[in-house]
Amino acid sequence: IQVATLSQNKLYGFNLIFGANGKTNFDANGKSMWNADPSNPLVDWKYAGAIDVPLSEKGIQQAIAAGHLTKNIDIDVVYCSMLIRAQTTALIALAAHNRNKVPLLVRDTKERDKRGLRAHTTKIFEGSHQEVIPMYCSYDLDERDFGKLAGMFEAEQKVHYDKKDLECFRTTWGIPFPNGESNADVFDRTIAFFERHIRGQLEMGKNVFICCHGFVIRVILAYIQNMTPADWQEAMKLEMRHEKCKLDVPNASPVVFDYVKSENEPRAAKFVHMGNEDFNTSETNVVTSKL
């Protein structure tokens, strides 16, 4: 899980946060029941990916901690995947929010019909006696599809594929997991969603909270930092060695970006990295994006 905090007009997310004279907050969902457990290294792990695996006890604790970190942030809208571990993370975190707003879910549909994200936002507020936060859930923010490796124990992965192949599937930009998605595939659907739904919220000065998954957050970070496929692969190699990199998305760790609008062209907006420790904004790093 990652949480982001920003000033007026920011994007927040468990795993990623943006602000735009609007802020964005990102948070990656907490650990699922298939994630590796560092405290118990003898227990094998599985890739969950697009499989709808729930949070583990550790993941629930992470979501609670994330909620305490973000409870004083003014959040206007939430975006989430369709997977239960991301939705649970967001709802647990929002339960601790000091504004006492009620998150109301609007879920996407495969047909993208009127019941999905196209639903008129004002209907969310009809008959409500309490202030609410719209929480839009979309398949476009689901975790990367790991194909044949999804649900496969780590030990079994090593039987069917050698170490170089497994690293290649994970880190290379355009090579997919067998019968699954590549990082480029995740980038295409995620950034199309970002431009279609999230950019406009930031341009209006809304504070946006995004709760989704590791690879989804990584492609957004790559996008706003103008990373090339070669940059991606080098950063992912560092990530595989557990070294700090531009795509670092630890669970339940705040990552904040402030979205600074351009007077002439939204795609020339700047993203200001507000830091990811204790929401310390004293050392900011401005990255210009071609969004």
Side-chain angles (χ1 to χ4, degrees):
I1 297 178
Q2 284 183 304
V3 179
T5 164
L6 312 171
S7 61
Q8 188 178 3
N9 279 14
K10 303 211 172 179
L11 177 61
Y12 303 88
F14 286 162
N15 267 11
L16 187 56
I17 302 171
F18 290 112
N21 293 13
K23 294 189 177 181
T24 302
N25 181 343
F26 294 89
D27 198 0
N29 62 260
K31 287 185 175 295
S32 79
M33 296 183 74
W34 282 1
N35 281 137
D37 182 359
S39 67
N40 194 358
L42 297 180
V43 176
D44 211 350
W45 60 271
K46 302 178 183 180
Y47 276 124
I51 298 176
D52 209 3
V53 181
L55 291 179
S56 64
E57 181 181 2
K58 177 66 173 179
I60 292 171
Q61 294 171 352
Q62 291 174 329
I64 293 171
H68 289 298
L69 286 172
T70 56
K71 65 182 180 180
N72 295 315
I73 297 171
D74 209 4
I75 297 173
D76 298 304
V77 61
V78 179
Y79 289 96
C80 189
S81 80
M82 290 290 285
L83 298 173
I84 191 66
R85 60 188 184 272
Q87 295 180 20
T88 304
T89 297
L91 293 172
I92 290 174
L94 291 170
H97 203 269
N98 283 345
R99 304 296 189 275
N100 199 31
K101 294 181 180 179
V102 176
L104 293 186
L105 279 67
V106 180
R107 292 187 176 90
D108 204 355
T109 62
K110 286 290 188 183
E111 298 78 18
R112 302 293 197 271
D113 65 15
K114 63 182 180 181
R115 293 173 297 164
L117 292 182
R118 296 180 183 178
H120 203 278
T121 305
T122 56
K123 290 185 178 180
I124 291 178
F125 300 91
E126 291 179 0
S128 176
H129 300 289
Q130 191 172 16
E131 193 174 3
V132 303
I133 303 175
M135 180 171 156
Y136 297 105
C137 305
S138 175
Y139 292 102
D140 290 327
L141 297 178
D142 280 3
E143 178 61 296
R144 183 180 177 186
D145 185 347
F146 296 119
K148 288 184 177 180
L149 277 76
M152 185 184 293
F153 281 115
E154 180 186 20
E156 187 180 357
Q157 295 173 23
K158 294 177 180 178
V159 171
H160 295 285
Y161 305 95
D162 65 36
K163 183 177 180 181
K164 288 185 178 180
D165 285 337
L166 292 171
E167 182 176 332
C168 183
F169 297 150
R170 182 177 176 86
T171 63
T172 305
W173 182 249
I175 298 178
F177 279 87
N179 288 2
E181 288 184 300
S182 68
N183 290 304
D185 294 330
V186 179
F187 180 93
D188 288 345
R189 62 172 165 85
T190 301
I191 300 310
F193 182 93
F194 181 93
E195 291 296 335
R196 188 165 62 247
H197 295 287
I198 298 172
R199 165 85 64 178
Q201 298 285 353
L202 295 173
E203 284 291 314
M204 290 189 293
K206 301 291 186 180
N207 290 340
V208 180
F209 175 55
I210 300 176
C211 185
C212 46
H213 310 275
F215 277 94
V216 175
I217 298 302
R218 290 186 184 99
V219 298
I220 298 176
L221 288 172
Y223 186 46
I224 67 175
Q225 295 178 97
N226 296 323
M227 295 176 68
T228 66
D231 295 334
W232 168 280
Q233 189 157 329
E234 288 304 309
M236 287 299 292
K237 288 179 180 178
L238 293 174
E239 190 262 355
M240 289 283 288
R241 298 197 296 265
H242 304 289
E243 297 179 24
K244 191 170 182 60
C245 69
K246 288 184 176 181
L247 301 178
D248 194 24
V249 286
N251 292 99
S253 179
V255 175
V256 180
F257 282 86
D258 197 358
Y259 180 82
V260 182
K261 293 191 292 185
S262 168
E263 294 183 1
N264 302 317
E265 172 54 50
R267 290 176 182 269
K270 294 179 180 178
F271 288 84
V272 182
H273 186 201
M274 306 299 289
N276 62 351
E277 296 181 1
D278 300 323
F279 299 103
N280 181 2
T281 61
S282 61
E283 297 182 3
T284 60
N285 175 33
V286 179
V287 291
T288 303
S289 174
K290 297 178 181 177
L291 292 180

